[in-house]
Amino acid sequence: MAFDEQIQANIEASLAEIPHPSLPKGTNLYGSTKIFPDYKAENGESYFTLIHGIPHESSVSFVAILQATRALRKGFESAIYFYGPGALACAANRGFPTTGDSGFPGELNMNGSLETFIAEGGTVFCCRFGMALHGMREEDLIAGVIPAHPLDVQDALIHYARKGAIINSTYNL
């Protein structure tokens, strides 16, 4: 595409105003001091996560899975309960153009993270009503995900609260 001389001069002036990149790759932008101790689970402690967020549209849901995995690695009994649109994160048949393919970078991050969480000993529940609302079948679930009755959402929360679990509840519209 050809620009007239004035536009080309303006482009060159604009590019020259600020050096690019302003900082070389690898430059620290933030400090690294960790404020709190790196806590580990004490005997019998639990970490329970509720997720009500659409996969790939809710970074909060993805971060919640990463936090649940970190808790698991710190020695907590760690469980995640997906309900409502969160149930979609448990689908093994996501992808484009074929199952398991990422239509865009990161589309299946939640799937991979859940598979890791389960492989490392985490427990994942998925609400059957949330599945039904979105046309999912139980055979569509990622291997190891436990289908659960809709009334189990509240009772699971009560169960983990009575155990004294740390509870992380995420919600996305």
Short mmCIF file of all heavy atoms in Angstrom, two decimals, residues 116-173:
data_model
loop_
_atom_site.label_atom_id
_atom_site.label_comp_id
_atom_site.label_asym_id
_atom_site.label_seq_id
_atom_site.Cartn_x
_atom_site.Cartn_y
_atom_site.Cartn_z
N THR A 116 -4.67 -32.46 34.28
CA THR A 116 -3.53 -32.45 35.19
C THR A 116 -4.00 -32.56 36.63
O THR A 116 -3.46 -33.35 37.42
CB THR A 116 -2.69 -31.17 35.00
OG1 THR A 116 -2.16 -31.17 33.67
CG2 THR A 116 -1.55 -31.08 36.01
N PHE A 117 -4.99 -31.75 37.00
CA PHE A 117 -5.54 -31.75 38.36
C PHE A 117 -6.01 -33.15 38.76
O PHE A 117 -5.69 -33.64 39.84
CB PHE A 117 -6.69 -30.73 38.43
CG PHE A 117 -7.34 -30.61 39.78
CD1 PHE A 117 -6.71 -29.94 40.82
CD2 PHE A 117 -8.60 -31.15 40.00
CE1 PHE A 117 -7.32 -29.82 42.06
CE2 PHE A 117 -9.23 -31.02 41.23
CZ PHE A 117 -8.58 -30.36 42.26
N ILE A 118 -6.75 -33.80 37.88
CA ILE A 118 -7.26 -35.15 38.15
C ILE A 118 -6.10 -36.14 38.25
O ILE A 118 -6.05 -36.97 39.16
CB ILE A 118 -8.28 -35.57 37.08
CG1 ILE A 118 -9.55 -34.72 37.20
CG2 ILE A 118 -8.61 -37.06 37.18
CD1 ILE A 118 -10.49 -34.82 36.01
N ALA A 119 -5.16 -36.06 37.31
CA ALA A 119 -4.02 -36.98 37.30
C ALA A 119 -3.19 -36.87 38.58
O ALA A 119 -2.59 -37.85 39.03
CB ALA A 119 -3.14 -36.73 36.08
N GLU A 120 -3.16 -35.67 39.18
CA GLU A 120 -2.38 -35.46 40.40
C GLU A 120 -3.18 -35.75 41.68
O GLU A 120 -2.67 -35.53 42.78
CB GLU A 120 -1.82 -34.03 40.42
CG GLU A 120 -0.78 -33.82 39.33
CD GLU A 120 -0.13 -32.46 39.37
OE1 GLU A 120 -0.25 -31.73 40.39
OE2 GLU A 120 0.53 -32.11 38.37
N GLY A 121 -4.41 -36.23 41.52
CA GLY A 121 -5.19 -36.65 42.68
C GLY A 121 -6.33 -35.75 43.09
O GLY A 121 -6.98 -35.99 44.10
N GLY A 122 -6.61 -34.70 42.32
CA GLY A 122 -7.73 -33.81 42.62
C GLY A 122 -9.05 -34.45 42.24
O GLY A 122 -9.10 -35.36 41.40
N THR A 123 -10.12 -33.99 42.86
CA THR A 123 -11.46 -34.49 42.58
C THR A 123 -12.26 -33.41 41.86
O THR A 123 -12.26 -32.25 42.28
CB THR A 123 -12.18 -34.86 43.90
OG1 THR A 123 -11.38 -35.82 44.60
CG2 THR A 123 -13.55 -35.43 43.63
N VAL A 124 -12.93 -33.79 40.78
CA VAL A 124 -13.73 -32.85 40.00
C VAL A 124 -15.16 -33.37 39.91
O VAL A 124 -15.39 -34.49 39.48
CB VAL A 124 -13.16 -32.63 38.58
CG1 VAL A 124 -14.06 -31.70 37.77
CG2 VAL A 124 -11.75 -32.10 38.65
N PHE A 125 -16.10 -32.51 40.32
CA PHE A 125 -17.52 -32.80 40.20
C PHE A 125 -18.11 -31.90 39.12
O PHE A 125 -17.67 -30.76 38.95
CB PHE A 125 -18.26 -32.52 41.52
CG PHE A 125 -17.78 -33.33 42.67
CD1 PHE A 125 -16.88 -32.79 43.60
CD2 PHE A 125 -18.21 -34.64 42.87
CE1 PHE A 125 -16.44 -33.53 44.68
CE2 PHE A 125 -17.77 -35.39 43.95
CZ PHE A 125 -16.88 -34.83 44.86
N CYS A 126 -19.12 -32.40 38.42
CA CYS A 126 -19.80 -31.61 37.40
C CYS A 126 -21.30 -31.81 37.55
O CYS A 126 -21.79 -32.95 37.53
CB CYS A 126 -19.34 -32.03 36.00
SG CYS A 126 -20.02 -31.00 34.69
N CYS A 127 -22.01 -30.71 37.71
CA CYS A 127 -23.45 -30.74 37.93
C CYS A 127 -24.19 -31.24 36.68
O CYS A 127 -24.01 -30.71 35.59
CB CYS A 127 -23.94 -29.35 38.31
SG CYS A 127 -25.72 -29.24 38.53
N ARG A 128 -25.01 -32.25 36.87
CA ARG A 128 -25.78 -32.80 35.75
C ARG A 128 -26.76 -31.78 35.18
O ARG A 128 -27.04 -31.79 33.98
CB ARG A 128 -26.53 -34.05 36.20
CG ARG A 128 -25.63 -35.25 36.38
CD ARG A 128 -26.44 -36.48 36.76
NE ARG A 128 -25.63 -37.67 36.67
CZ ARG A 128 -25.36 -38.47 37.71
NH1 ARG A 128 -25.84 -38.19 38.91
NH2 ARG A 128 -24.62 -39.54 37.55
N PHE A 129 -27.31 -30.91 36.02
CA PHE A 129 -28.24 -29.91 35.51
C PHE A 129 -27.49 -28.89 34.65
O PHE A 129 -27.97 -28.49 33.59
CB PHE A 129 -28.96 -29.21 36.67
CG PHE A 129 -30.03 -28.25 36.22
CD1 PHE A 129 -31.15 -28.71 35.54
CD2 PHE A 129 -29.92 -26.90 36.48
CE1 PHE A 129 -32.14 -27.84 35.11
CE2 PHE A 129 -30.91 -26.02 36.05
CZ PHE A 129 -32.02 -26.49 35.37
N GLY A 130 -26.30 -28.48 35.09
CA GLY A 130 -25.47 -27.59 34.28
C GLY A 130 -25.14 -28.24 32.94
O GLY A 130 -25.14 -27.57 31.90
N MET A 131 -24.90 -29.55 32.96
CA MET A 131 -24.64 -30.27 31.72
C MET A 131 -25.87 -30.23 30.82
O MET A 131 -25.78 -29.93 29.63
CB MET A 131 -24.24 -31.72 32.02
CG MET A 131 -22.90 -31.86 32.71
SD MET A 131 -22.59 -33.53 33.33
CE MET A 131 -22.78 -34.51 31.87
N ALA A 132 -27.02 -30.52 31.41
CA ALA A 132 -28.27 -30.58 30.63
C ALA A 132 -28.62 -29.22 30.03
O ALA A 132 -29.10 -29.14 28.89
CB ALA A 132 -29.41 -31.07 31.52
N LEU A 133 -28.36 -28.15 30.78
CA LEU A 133 -28.66 -26.81 30.27
C LEU A 133 -27.88 -26.50 29.00
O LEU A 133 -28.30 -25.66 28.20
CB LEU A 133 -28.30 -25.76 31.33
CG LEU A 133 -29.25 -25.64 32.51
CD1 LEU A 133 -28.66 -24.70 33.55
CD2 LEU A 133 -30.63 -25.18 32.08
N HIS A 134 -26.74 -27.14 28.83
CA HIS A 134 -25.87 -26.85 27.69
C HIS A 134 -25.73 -28.02 26.71
O HIS A 134 -24.82 -28.04 25.89
CB HIS A 134 -24.50 -26.39 28.21
CG HIS A 134 -24.62 -25.15 29.04
ND1 HIS A 134 -24.78 -25.19 30.41
CD2 HIS A 134 -24.69 -23.85 28.68
CE1 HIS A 134 -24.91 -23.96 30.86
NE2 HIS A 134 -24.86 -23.13 29.83
N GLY A 135 -26.64 -28.99 26.82
CA GLY A 135 -26.65 -30.09 25.85
C GLY A 135 -25.52 -31.08 25.99
O GLY A 135 -25.21 -31.80 25.04
N MET A 136 -24.90 -31.15 27.16
CA MET A 136 -23.81 -32.11 27.38
C MET A 136 -24.37 -33.43 27.88
O MET A 136 -25.35 -33.47 28.61
CB MET A 136 -22.82 -31.58 28.43
CG MET A 136 -21.86 -30.56 27.92
SD MET A 136 -20.78 -29.98 29.26
CE MET A 136 -19.99 -31.49 29.81
N ARG A 137 -23.70 -34.49 27.49
CA ARG A 137 -24.04 -35.82 27.98
C ARG A 137 -22.94 -36.27 28.93
O ARG A 137 -21.82 -35.77 28.87
CB ARG A 137 -24.15 -36.80 26.82
CG ARG A 137 -25.12 -36.34 25.74
CD ARG A 137 -24.96 -37.13 24.46
NE ARG A 137 -23.57 -37.02 24.00
CZ ARG A 137 -23.03 -37.84 23.09
NH1 ARG A 137 -23.73 -38.80 22.53
NH2 ARG A 137 -21.78 -37.68 22.72
N GLU A 138 -23.25 -37.22 29.79
CA GLU A 138 -22.23 -37.70 30.73
C GLU A 138 -21.05 -38.32 30.00
O GLU A 138 -19.91 -38.19 30.45
CB GLU A 138 -22.85 -38.69 31.72
CG GLU A 138 -23.76 -38.00 32.70
CD GLU A 138 -24.23 -38.88 33.85
OE1 GLU A 138 -23.52 -39.85 34.19
OE2 GLU A 138 -25.30 -38.57 34.40
N GLU A 139 -21.29 -38.94 28.86
CA GLU A 139 -20.18 -39.53 28.12
C GLU A 139 -19.28 -38.48 27.47
O GLU A 139 -18.22 -38.80 26.96
CB GLU A 139 -20.67 -40.54 27.07
CG GLU A 139 -21.65 -39.99 26.07
CD GLU A 139 -23.12 -40.22 26.44
OE1 GLU A 139 -23.46 -40.22 27.63
OE2 GLU A 139 -23.92 -40.39 25.51
N ASP A 140 -19.70 -37.21 27.52
CA ASP A 140 -18.88 -36.12 27.00
C ASP A 140 -17.86 -35.60 28.01
O ASP A 140 -17.02 -34.77 27.68
CB ASP A 140 -19.77 -34.94 26.57
CG ASP A 140 -20.71 -35.29 25.43
OD1 ASP A 140 -20.36 -36.16 24.61
OD2 ASP A 140 -21.80 -34.69 25.37
N LEU A 141 -17.93 -36.07 29.25
CA LEU A 141 -17.07 -35.56 30.31
C LEU A 141 -15.62 -36.00 30.15
O LEU A 141 -15.33 -37.11 29.67
CB LEU A 141 -17.56 -36.01 31.68
CG LEU A 141 -18.88 -35.41 32.15
CD1 LEU A 141 -19.34 -36.09 33.44
CD2 LEU A 141 -18.75 -33.91 32.36
N ILE A 142 -14.71 -35.16 30.57
CA ILE A 142 -13.29 -35.51 30.65
C ILE A 142 -13.18 -36.72 31.58
O ILE A 142 -13.85 -36.79 32.61
CB ILE A 142 -12.48 -34.32 31.22
CG1 ILE A 142 -12.49 -33.16 30.22
CG2 ILE A 142 -11.06 -34.72 31.58
CD1 ILE A 142 -11.93 -31.85 30.78
N ALA A 143 -12.32 -37.65 31.24
CA ALA A 143 -12.15 -38.86 32.05
C ALA A 143 -11.79 -38.48 33.49
O ALA A 143 -10.91 -37.65 33.71
CB ALA A 143 -11.05 -39.74 31.46
N GLY A 144 -12.52 -39.06 34.43
CA GLY A 144 -12.27 -38.81 35.84
C GLY A 144 -13.19 -37.78 36.46
O GLY A 144 -13.23 -37.64 37.68
N VAL A 145 -13.94 -37.02 35.65
CA VAL A 145 -14.90 -36.06 36.18
C VAL A 145 -16.13 -36.82 36.67
O VAL A 145 -16.63 -37.70 35.99
CB VAL A 145 -15.29 -35.00 35.13
CG1 VAL A 145 -16.42 -34.10 35.64
CG2 VAL A 145 -14.08 -34.16 34.74
N ILE A 146 -16.60 -36.46 37.86
CA ILE A 146 -17.72 -37.16 38.49
C ILE A 146 -19.01 -36.38 38.28
O ILE A 146 -19.14 -35.25 38.76
CB ILE A 146 -17.46 -37.31 40.01
CG1 ILE A 146 -16.14 -38.04 40.25
CG2 ILE A 146 -18.63 -38.00 40.69
CD1 ILE A 146 -15.59 -37.86 41.66
N PRO A 147 -19.99 -36.96 37.54
CA PRO A 147 -21.27 -36.28 37.38
C PRO A 147 -22.01 -36.28 38.72
O PRO A 147 -22.00 -37.27 39.44
CB PRO A 147 -22.01 -37.10 36.33
CG PRO A 147 -21.32 -38.42 36.27
CD PRO A 147 -19.95 -38.25 36.84
N ALA A 148 -22.64 -35.12 39.03
CA ALA A 148 -23.29 -34.99 40.34
C ALA A 148 -24.70 -34.42 40.18
O ALA A 148 -24.99 -33.65 39.26
CB ALA A 148 -22.45 -34.08 41.23
N HIS A 149 -25.57 -34.79 41.11
CA HIS A 149 -26.95 -34.32 41.14
C HIS A 149 -26.98 -32.81 41.40
O HIS A 149 -26.15 -32.30 42.16
CB HIS A 149 -27.70 -35.07 42.25
CG HIS A 149 -29.17 -34.88 42.20
ND1 HIS A 149 -29.78 -33.77 42.71
CD2 HIS A 149 -30.14 -35.68 41.69
CE1 HIS A 149 -31.09 -33.87 42.53
NE2 HIS A 149 -31.33 -35.02 41.92
N PRO A 150 -27.94 -32.08 40.83
CA PRO A 150 -28.01 -30.63 41.06
C PRO A 150 -28.09 -30.24 42.54
O PRO A 150 -27.54 -29.21 42.93
CB PRO A 150 -29.28 -30.21 40.32
CG PRO A 150 -29.51 -31.26 39.30
CD PRO A 150 -28.94 -32.52 39.86
N LEU A 151 -28.74 -31.04 43.36
CA LEU A 151 -28.84 -30.71 44.78
C LEU A 151 -27.52 -30.90 45.51
O LEU A 151 -27.36 -30.43 46.64
CB LEU A 151 -29.94 -31.54 45.45
CG LEU A 151 -31.37 -31.29 44.93
CD1 LEU A 151 -32.36 -32.20 45.65
CD2 LEU A 151 -31.76 -29.84 45.07
N ASP A 152 -26.56 -31.54 44.87
CA ASP A 152 -25.25 -31.75 45.49
C ASP A 152 -24.42 -30.47 45.56
O ASP A 152 -23.49 -30.39 46.36
CB ASP A 152 -24.45 -32.82 44.74
CG ASP A 152 -24.89 -34.23 45.10
OD1 ASP A 152 -25.34 -34.43 46.24
OD2 ASP A 152 -24.77 -35.11 44.23
N VAL A 153 -24.73 -29.46 44.75
CA VAL A 153 -23.95 -28.22 44.80
C VAL A 153 -23.98 -27.66 46.23
O VAL A 153 -22.94 -27.40 46.83
CB VAL A 153 -24.48 -27.16 43.81
CG1 VAL A 153 -23.73 -25.85 43.97
CG2 VAL A 153 -24.36 -27.65 42.38
N GLN A 154 -25.17 -27.50 46.78
CA GLN A 154 -25.28 -26.94 48.13
C GLN A 154 -24.74 -27.91 49.18
O GLN A 154 -24.03 -27.49 50.10
CB GLN A 154 -26.74 -26.61 48.44
CG GLN A 154 -26.91 -25.92 49.78
CD GLN A 154 -28.35 -25.57 50.06
OE1 GLN A 154 -29.24 -26.41 49.88
NE2 GLN A 154 -28.58 -24.34 50.48
N ASP A 155 -25.05 -29.19 49.04
CA ASP A 155 -24.59 -30.15 50.05
C ASP A 155 -23.08 -30.35 50.02
O ASP A 155 -22.45 -30.58 51.05
CB ASP A 155 -25.34 -31.47 49.92
CG ASP A 155 -26.79 -31.33 50.39
OD1 ASP A 155 -27.02 -30.63 51.40
OD2 ASP A 155 -27.68 -31.88 49.73
N ALA A 156 -22.48 -30.23 48.84
CA ALA A 156 -21.01 -30.29 48.77
C ALA A 156 -20.41 -29.09 49.49
O ALA A 156 -19.43 -29.23 50.23
CB ALA A 156 -20.55 -30.32 47.31
N LEU A 157 -21.00 -27.93 49.31
CA LEU A 157 -20.54 -26.72 49.99
C LEU A 157 -20.65 -26.89 51.51
O LEU A 157 -19.72 -26.59 52.25
CB LEU A 157 -21.34 -25.52 49.52
CG LEU A 157 -20.93 -24.16 50.06
CD1 LEU A 157 -19.48 -23.85 49.76
CD2 LEU A 157 -21.84 -23.09 49.50
N ILE A 158 -21.78 -27.43 51.96
CA ILE A 158 -21.96 -27.68 53.40
C ILE A 158 -20.93 -28.69 53.89
O ILE A 158 -20.31 -28.51 54.94
CB ILE A 158 -23.41 -28.16 53.68
CG1 ILE A 158 -24.40 -27.03 53.42
CG2 ILE A 158 -23.53 -28.69 55.10
CD1 ILE A 158 -25.86 -27.48 53.36
N HIS A 159 -20.73 -29.76 53.13
CA HIS A 159 -19.77 -30.81 53.50
C HIS A 159 -18.38 -30.22 53.72
O HIS A 159 -17.74 -30.46 54.75
CB HIS A 159 -19.73 -31.88 52.40
CG HIS A 159 -18.64 -32.88 52.57
ND1 HIS A 159 -18.75 -33.96 53.42
CD2 HIS A 159 -17.42 -32.98 51.98
CE1 HIS A 159 -17.63 -34.68 53.36
NE2 HIS A 159 -16.81 -34.11 52.50
N TYR A 160 -17.92 -29.43 52.72
CA TYR A 160 -16.56 -28.88 52.84
C TYR A 160 -16.48 -27.78 53.89
O TYR A 160 -15.46 -27.65 54.56
CB TYR A 160 -16.05 -28.42 51.47
CG TYR A 160 -15.56 -29.59 50.65
CD1 TYR A 160 -16.36 -30.20 49.70
CD2 TYR A 160 -14.29 -30.11 50.88
CE1 TYR A 160 -15.91 -31.30 48.98
CE2 TYR A 160 -13.83 -31.20 50.17
CZ TYR A 160 -14.65 -31.79 49.22
OH TYR A 160 -14.20 -32.89 48.52
N ALA A 161 -17.55 -27.02 54.08
CA ALA A 161 -17.55 -26.00 55.14
C ALA A 161 -17.45 -26.66 56.51
O ALA A 161 -16.71 -26.21 57.38
CB ALA A 161 -18.81 -25.14 55.04
N ARG A 162 -18.18 -27.75 56.70
CA ARG A 162 -18.13 -28.46 57.99
C ARG A 162 -16.77 -29.09 58.23
O ARG A 162 -16.37 -29.29 59.38
CB ARG A 162 -19.24 -29.52 58.05
CG ARG A 162 -20.60 -28.89 58.25
CD ARG A 162 -21.68 -29.92 58.43
NE ARG A 162 -22.95 -29.26 58.73
CZ ARG A 162 -24.11 -29.88 58.76
NH1 ARG A 162 -24.19 -31.19 58.50
NH2 ARG A 162 -25.20 -29.21 59.04
N LYS A 163 -16.06 -29.40 57.16
CA LYS A 163 -14.69 -29.93 57.30
C LYS A 163 -13.70 -28.81 57.59
O LYS A 163 -12.54 -29.08 57.85
CB LYS A 163 -14.26 -30.63 56.00
CG LYS A 163 -14.93 -31.95 55.75
CD LYS A 163 -14.47 -32.55 54.43
CE LYS A 163 -13.04 -33.00 54.55
NZ LYS A 163 -12.61 -33.94 53.51
N GLY A 164 -14.17 -27.56 57.49
CA GLY A 164 -13.27 -26.43 57.71
C GLY A 164 -12.44 -26.10 56.50
O GLY A 164 -11.38 -25.47 56.61
N ALA A 165 -12.92 -26.48 55.32
CA ALA A 165 -12.15 -26.25 54.09
C ALA A 165 -12.04 -24.76 53.78
O ALA A 165 -12.89 -23.96 54.14
CB ALA A 165 -12.84 -26.95 52.91
N ILE A 166 -10.96 -24.43 53.10
CA ILE A 166 -10.85 -23.12 52.47
C ILE A 166 -11.73 -23.20 51.25
O ILE A 166 -11.62 -24.15 50.45
CB ILE A 166 -9.38 -22.83 52.09
CG1 ILE A 166 -8.52 -22.75 53.35
CG2 ILE A 166 -9.30 -21.57 51.24
CD1 ILE A 166 -7.06 -22.81 53.08
N ILE A 167 -12.64 -22.25 51.09
CA ILE A 167 -13.59 -22.32 49.97
C ILE A 167 -13.37 -21.13 49.04
O ILE A 167 -13.40 -19.97 49.46
CB ILE A 167 -15.04 -22.36 50.50
CG1 ILE A 167 -15.25 -23.63 51.32
CG2 ILE A 167 -16.04 -22.28 49.33
CD1 ILE A 167 -16.59 -23.74 52.00
N ASN A 168 -13.16 -21.44 47.79
CA ASN A 168 -12.98 -20.45 46.73
C ASN A 168 -14.17 -20.57 45.80
O ASN A 168 -14.34 -21.59 45.14
CB ASN A 168 -11.67 -20.70 45.99
CG ASN A 168 -11.43 -19.71 44.88
OD1 ASN A 168 -12.02 -18.65 44.84
ND2 ASN A 168 -10.54 -20.07 43.97
N SER A 169 -15.01 -19.56 45.76
CA SER A 169 -16.20 -19.60 44.90
C SER A 169 -16.07 -18.56 43.79
O SER A 169 -15.93 -17.37 44.08
CB SER A 169 -17.45 -19.33 45.74
OG SER A 169 -18.61 -19.45 44.93
N THR A 170 -16.07 -19.01 42.55
CA THR A 170 -15.97 -18.09 41.42
C THR A 170 -17.27 -18.08 40.65
O THR A 170 -17.95 -19.09 40.54
CB THR A 170 -14.82 -18.49 40.47
OG1 THR A 170 -15.12 -19.76 39.89
CG2 THR A 170 -13.51 -18.57 41.22
N TYR A 171 -17.60 -16.92 40.13
CA TYR A 171 -18.86 -16.76 39.42
C TYR A 171 -18.64 -15.84 38.24
O TYR A 171 -17.99 -14.82 38.36
CB TYR A 171 -19.91 -16.17 40.36
CG TYR A 171 -21.32 -16.33 39.87
CD1 TYR A 171 -22.06 -17.46 40.22
CD2 TYR A 171 -21.92 -15.37 39.08
CE1 TYR A 171 -23.36 -17.60 39.77
CE2 TYR A 171 -23.22 -15.51 38.63
CZ TYR A 171 -23.94 -16.64 38.97
OH TYR A 171 -25.22 -16.80 38.55
N ASN A 172 -19.15 -16.20 37.09
CA ASN A 172 -19.02 -15.40 35.89
C ASN A 172 -20.34 -15.42 35.16
O ASN A 172 -20.94 -16.47 35.02
CB ASN A 172 -17.89 -15.96 35.01
CG ASN A 172 -17.76 -15.25 33.70
OD1 ASN A 172 -18.16 -15.77 32.68
ND2 ASN A 172 -17.19 -14.06 33.72
N LEU A 173 -20.79 -14.29 34.70
CA LEU A 173 -22.04 -14.23 33.93
C LEU A 173 -21.76 -14.35 32.46
O LEU A 173 -20.82 -13.89 31.94
CB LEU A 173 -22.77 -12.92 34.21
CG LEU A 173 -23.20 -12.71 35.64
CD1 LEU A 173 -23.83 -11.34 35.81
CD2 LEU A 173 -24.18 -13.78 36.08
#
